[in-house]
């Protein structure tokens, strides 16, 4: 074998070796890249979970999640639309508001109707500069590719999530399995915050006192209390209201309750939460104040409301004949406990209520539990 041929063979082997080595390096880089992507995706999911646990309104949570999607996945536009039972509502979007009417009516587009019916994502893009996406009206320059994801909770269609890009074929190589996981997490968030939304809006206004009902405590009230590390929850009961109603009339008892509430409203800070808890029971959340700071004020408040005297109300044109000294005077029982930020507010109020219901029916003190 000639020396020249030997040199050629050596060079061929070297080239083959380099090719094999480069392929090995490429595979390692790709594997490392995939691991990094998975770690990044896990971080995104963790941010989702952190957002769900935030002490914030439902709409704000959805905005935060949408912003996470836009930032972490380098998405140009992202919009979450939910059907609330009456109409489609945009819950989160970074699309200009002038396009919102189009974005919340995508369910009427024939291309997306099929996606909703089959519960499968739909990817659309343009191939020529003079084309536009089927759902676009007069916005050719905004989006040139999009992915549409119908959203379901327990097999019930509740809306959709759509991501858009200003570049054609922008999602050709995107990892759809990751987006599927993200979609499921959006559904999980919507499912979780739907319960929060119910709590935030279920409370009523008591027509006599103008106070919010107990449900207010566990939604908006809790967010106010959780601005502070600890607060004091006070619950009191007008223990003789039934006797007053029986002896002097329900109208007299109602007026006594109104006067008591007006005294308390005038006495407490706007940061404190005062609700009609149930019947003759009322609750006050002294936000950011410990029990020692409330004790003296509670005693003064109890003395003041028990000094209120209400004359019997007239019934039509006739006044019931009562002894001159007979007035409606409240007798109250107070109980206080500490609430710590982030813990179960309903557990604290439940203990307070149980105490007032189970103690001696004539007890009239200020108690601490």
């Amino acid at each position: 074998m000639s020396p020249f041929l030997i040199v050629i063979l050596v060079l061929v082997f070297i080239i083959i070796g380099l090719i094999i080595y480069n392929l090995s390096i490429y595979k390692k880089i790709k594997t490392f890249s995939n691991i990094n992507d998975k770690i990044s995706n896990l971080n995104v999911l963790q941010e989702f979970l952190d957002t769900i646990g935030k002490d914030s309104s439902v709409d704000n949570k959805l905005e935060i999640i949408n912003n996470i999607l836009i930032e972490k996945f380098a998405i140009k536009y992202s919009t979450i639309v939910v059907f609330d039972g009456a109409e489609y509502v945009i819950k989160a979007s970074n699309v200009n508001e002038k396009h919102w009417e189009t974005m919340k009516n995508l369910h009427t587009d024939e291309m997306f109707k099929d996606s909703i019916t089959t519960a499968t994502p739909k990817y659309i893009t343009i191939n020529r500069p003079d084309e536009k996406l089927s759902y676009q009206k007069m916005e050719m320059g905004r989006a040139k590719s999009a992915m549409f994801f119908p959203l379901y909770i327990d097999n019930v269609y509740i809306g959709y999530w759509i991501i858009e890009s200003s570049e054609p074929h922008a999602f050709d190589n995107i990892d759809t399995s990751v987006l599927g996981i993200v979609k499921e997490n959006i559904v999980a968030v919507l499912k979780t915050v739907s319960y929060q939304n119910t709590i935030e809006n279920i409370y009523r206004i008591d027509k006599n006192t103008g106070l919010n009902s107990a449900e207010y405590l566990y939604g908006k009230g809790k967010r106010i209390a959780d601005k502070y590390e600890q607060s004091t929850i006070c619950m009191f009961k007008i223990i003789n209201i039934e006797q007053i109603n029986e002896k002097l009339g329900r109208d007299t008892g109602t007026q006594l309750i109104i006067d008591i509430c007006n005294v308390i409203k005038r006495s407490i800070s706007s940061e404190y939460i005062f609700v009609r808890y149930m019947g003759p029971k009322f609750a006050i959340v002294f936000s950011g104040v410990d029990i020692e700071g409330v004790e003296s004020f509670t005693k003064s408040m109890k003395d003041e409301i028990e000094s209120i005297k209400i004359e019997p109300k007239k019934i039509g044109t006739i006044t019931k004949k009562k002894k001159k000294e007979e007035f409606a005077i409240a007798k109250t029982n107070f109980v206080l406990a500490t609430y710590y930020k982030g813990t179960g507010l309903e557990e604290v109020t439940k203990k307070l209520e149980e105490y007032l219901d189970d103690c001696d029916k004539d007890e009239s003190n200020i108690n601490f539990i």
Side-chain angles (χ1 to χ4, degrees), residues 10 35 42 68 73 90 112 115 169 178 202 209 215 245 279 326 332:
V10 170
I35 291 171
L42 286 173
I68 291 171
F73 292 98
I90 291 181
F112 297 137
S115 176
H169 298 277
V178 171
I202 199 174
T209 63
E215 292 82 4
N245 288 341
E326 193 159 22
T332 59

Side-chain angles (χ1 to χ4, degrees), residues 98-99 102 132-133 135-142:
K98 67 182 180 181
H99 302 307
T102 297
K132 65 177 182 179
L133 301 178
Y135 62 88
Q136 292 182 315
K137 306 302 180 186
M138 301 185 66
E139 45 172 316
M140 288 180 61
R142 188 180 68 81

Side-chain angles (χ1 to χ4, degrees), residues 47 132 284 286 319:
E47 288 190 48
K132 65 177 182 179
I284 307 171
F286 293 95
T319 304

Side-chain angles (χ1 to χ4, degrees), residues 209-231:
T209 63
L211 297 176
N212 294 316
S213 61
E215 292 82 4
Y216 182 86
L217 288 176
Y218 311 121
K220 296 179 181 178
K222 189 175 189 299
R223 289 211 304 276
I224 295 171
D226 281 351
K227 292 178 183 178
Y228 307 92
E229 289 302 317
Q230 71 177 66
S231 301

Side-chain angles (χ1 to χ4, degrees), residues 131-187:
E131 284 185 300
K132 65 177 182 179
L133 301 178
S134 65
Y135 62 88
Q136 292 182 315
K137 306 302 180 186
M138 301 185 66
E139 45 172 316
M140 288 180 61
R142 188 180 68 81
K144 295 179 180 178
S145 54
M147 287 198 76
F148 178 92
F149 298 88
L151 304 175
Y152 290 79
I153 292 180
D154 300 329
N155 296 319
V156 176
Y157 169 69
I158 54 129
Y160 51 86
W161 169 46
I162 183 169
I163 58 174
E164 302 169 288
S165 173
S166 55
E167 299 295 328
H169 298 277
F171 305 119
D172 286 2
N173 300 313
I174 197 164
D175 188 342
T176 54
S177 64
V178 171
L179 288 180
I181 294 171
V182 171
K183 183 201 74 171
E184 291 307 316
N185 276 272
I186 291 174
V187 170

Side-chain angles (χ1 to χ4, degrees), residues 227-278:
K227 292 178 183 178
Y228 307 92
E229 289 302 317
Q230 71 177 66
S231 301
T232 298
I233 314 295
C234 167
M235 190 177 290
F236 71 91
K237 180 179 181 180
I238 305 173
I239 60 177
N240 63 334
I241 196 67
E242 289 183 9
Q243 292 90 329
I244 290 172
N245 288 341
E246 289 174 6
K247 291 177 66 178
L248 304 178
R250 186 168 291 275
D251 288 345
T252 302
T254 297
Q255 187 59 53
L256 178 62
I257 288 173
I258 292 170
D259 285 9
I260 288 172
C261 291
N262 288 338
V263 166
I264 295 173
K265 285 178 188 176
R266 291 194 302 267
S267 304
I268 63 175
S269 163
S270 59
E271 269 293 284
Y272 302 157
I273 305 151
F274 181 30
V275 300
R276 185 164 191 175
Y277 190 79
M278 190 179 296

Side-chain angles (χ1 to χ4, degrees), residues 315-357:
I315 302 174
T317 58
I318 303 171
T319 304
K320 283 190 173 182
K321 292 183 179 180
K322 297 291 177 183
K323 293 179 181 179
K324 186 177 181 181
E325 68 275 6
E326 193 159 22
F327 293 95
I329 301 173
K331 190 177 180 183
T332 59
N333 197 27
F334 279 71
V335 60
L336 295 89
T338 299
Y339 164 71
Y340 296 97
K341 177 180 177 178
T343 59
L345 181 56
E346 66 282 1
E347 294 298 322
V348 179
T349 54
K350 183 181 177 182
K351 287 181 180 178
L352 296 175
E353 184 182 22
E354 286 175 349
Y355 180 88
L356 290 175
D357 288 342

Side-chain angles (χ1 to χ4, degrees), residues 20-163:
I20 294 171
Y21 177 75
N22 285 338
L23 284 172
S24 174
I25 293 296
Y26 172 76
K27 287 181 180 179
K28 288 180 180 179
I29 291 172
K30 190 173 182 180
T31 300
F32 181 74
S33 177
N34 288 338
I35 291 171
N36 274 348
D37 287 344
K38 288 178 181 178
I39 291 171
S40 177
N41 293 331
L42 286 173
N43 288 337
V44 171
L45 299 184
Q46 183 59 53
E47 288 190 48
F48 272 27
L49 294 174
D50 292 343
T51 301
I52 293 173
K54 282 182 183 291
D55 184 21
S56 182
S57 69
V58 170
D59 289 342
N60 191 45
K61 286 181 180 179
L62 291 173
E63 284 288 352
I64 292 171
I65 284 169
N66 204 46
N67 290 336
I68 291 171
L69 295 172
I70 292 163
E71 179 187 350
K72 300 299 183 182
F73 292 98
I75 295 170
K76 181 70 174 177
Y77 302 108
S78 176
T79 302
I80 299 171
V81 180
V82 173
F83 181 64
D84 67 2
E87 61 180 347
Y88 284 80
V89 179
I90 291 181
K91 289 294 185 179
S93 180
N94 67 326
V95 174
N96 192 298
E97 285 192 31
K98 67 182 180 181
H99 302 307
W100 280 17
E101 194 61 31
T102 297
M103 300 306 294
K104 68 180 182 179
N105 285 291
L106 297 183
H107 59 284
T108 63
D109 189 279
E110 290 299 325
M111 190 171 292
F112 297 137
K113 280 183 180 179
D114 178 63
S115 176
I116 292 169
T117 302
T118 59
T120 55
K122 185 71 177 180
Y123 175 34
I124 56 175
T125 187
I126 64 169
N127 294 308
R128 301 190 314 271
D130 61 333
E131 284 185 300
K132 65 177 182 179
L133 301 178
S134 65
Y135 62 88
Q136 292 182 315
K137 306 302 180 186
M138 301 185 66
E139 45 172 316
M140 288 180 61
R142 188 180 68 81
K144 295 179 180 178
S145 54
M147 287 198 76
F148 178 92
F149 298 88
L151 304 175
Y152 290 79
I153 292 180
D154 300 329
N155 296 319
V156 176
Y157 169 69
I158 54 129
Y160 51 86
W161 169 46
I162 183 169
I163 58 174

